[in-house]
Amino acid sequence: MTNVASPAPAGVGKASSFLEISGKRKATDNFAKVIIYLCMALAIIPLVFVLWELISKGLPPVLNAEWWTQDMLGTMYHQSGGGALHAIIGTLVQTLLASVIAIPVGIFTAIYLVEYSRGGWLGRTTTFMVDILSGVPSIVAALFIYAAWITVLGFERSGLAVAWSLLLLMMPIVVRNTEEMLRVVPMDLREAAYALGVPKWKTIARIVLPTALSGIATGIMLAIARIMGESAPVLILVGTTPALKWDPSGGPMSSLPLMMLDMYKAGLNPNVLDKMWGAAFTLVLLIAILNVGARIISAKFSVKQ
């Protein structure tokens, strides 16, 4: 008598195949997670090392009240004492001058490209010019301002010339970031406002911009962080001074990047190194404060989803 094996149910083979595929997917997913976490750890290691070096060497000088209230006038670089008030004020003034022009012009340019351009020749030309400016090195922007502002127009080297150079570096970042944030805003919000009879300009001002405010503020802070640490413009367009100066229209005007370069050229004296690390820590601290302030402002005034 021959025994005939009964065929397996049709669903058993499909279930085993599904489990096999599911197991492979889980293994691949776990492997990808391990690779991602490993890359993240490798990226964090140099960041932690840099922050540790910056805080450990730059924090002690800035804990002294003189650092925030005095300049370096009358104090030699290799001597102890003195402060960075002149460099802090110079950095803030130059950055403020550039931001006052770059931020509104960049935002209005992005609004035109997203809301009004419609693919016209002016929009295409503007996009092309923004792309070019995005790739311009800081040294090229500084040389352009030197040729146009100082050589051709006859103005002297000053903090204002530095601000013009920083403006060229900051504007394309603001335009590109604002443009992307405006495109993220759902079109349904615009159409709902138009259906209620709200004018286009008021829709942009009351709905589109507040909705994208958080991302726009983040992009502006990234642009400010970039220009605050630029060294090429201050090397070419303004002279250094150890004295506090508020007027950027003419003459030497210090800044934190320029102060660090001056300290580096002064030699490897311990006092010089302390001041150099203190200037670096102060620059990072100012950028961090601006970022926190921008996050608070955007969280307060942006539209709640």
Side-chain angles (χ1 to χ4, degrees), residues 55 58-68 278 281-282:
I55 295 174
L59 183 59
V62 305
L63 294 178
N64 192 342
E66 293 183 358
W67 181 263
W68 304 96
F281 180 83
T282 303

Side-chain angles (χ1 to χ4, degrees), residues 129-192:
M129 297 304 296
V130 170
D131 291 338
I132 292 178
L133 282 177
S134 299
V136 171
S138 59
I139 186 67
V140 175
L143 290 175
F144 171 76
I145 296 299
Y146 184 87
W149 184 258
I150 298 176
T151 304
V152 176
L153 298 179
F155 292 98
E156 60 179 324
R157 299 168 68 201
S158 61
L160 185 59
V162 175
W164 284 117
S165 178
L166 299 179
L167 168 67
L168 296 179
L169 301 174
M170 183 179 182
M171 190 176 298
I173 302 177
V174 177
V175 173
R176 273 290 172 228
N177 178 81
T178 305
E179 186 179 358
E180 294 300 323
M181 291 300 103
L182 293 178
R183 294 188 189 279
V184 170
V185 177
M187 186 59 67
D188 296 342
L189 295 177
R190 299 178 175 88
E191 293 175 351

Side-chain angles (χ1 to χ4, degrees), residues 185-215:
V185 177
M187 186 59 67
D188 296 342
L189 295 177
R190 299 178 175 88
E191 293 175 351
Y194 299 154
L196 294 173
V198 180
K200 187 169 186 176
W201 69 268
K202 188 174 289 188
T203 300
I204 296 172
R206 296 293 183 86
I207 298 176
V208 178
L209 285 178
T211 303
L213 180 60
S214 179

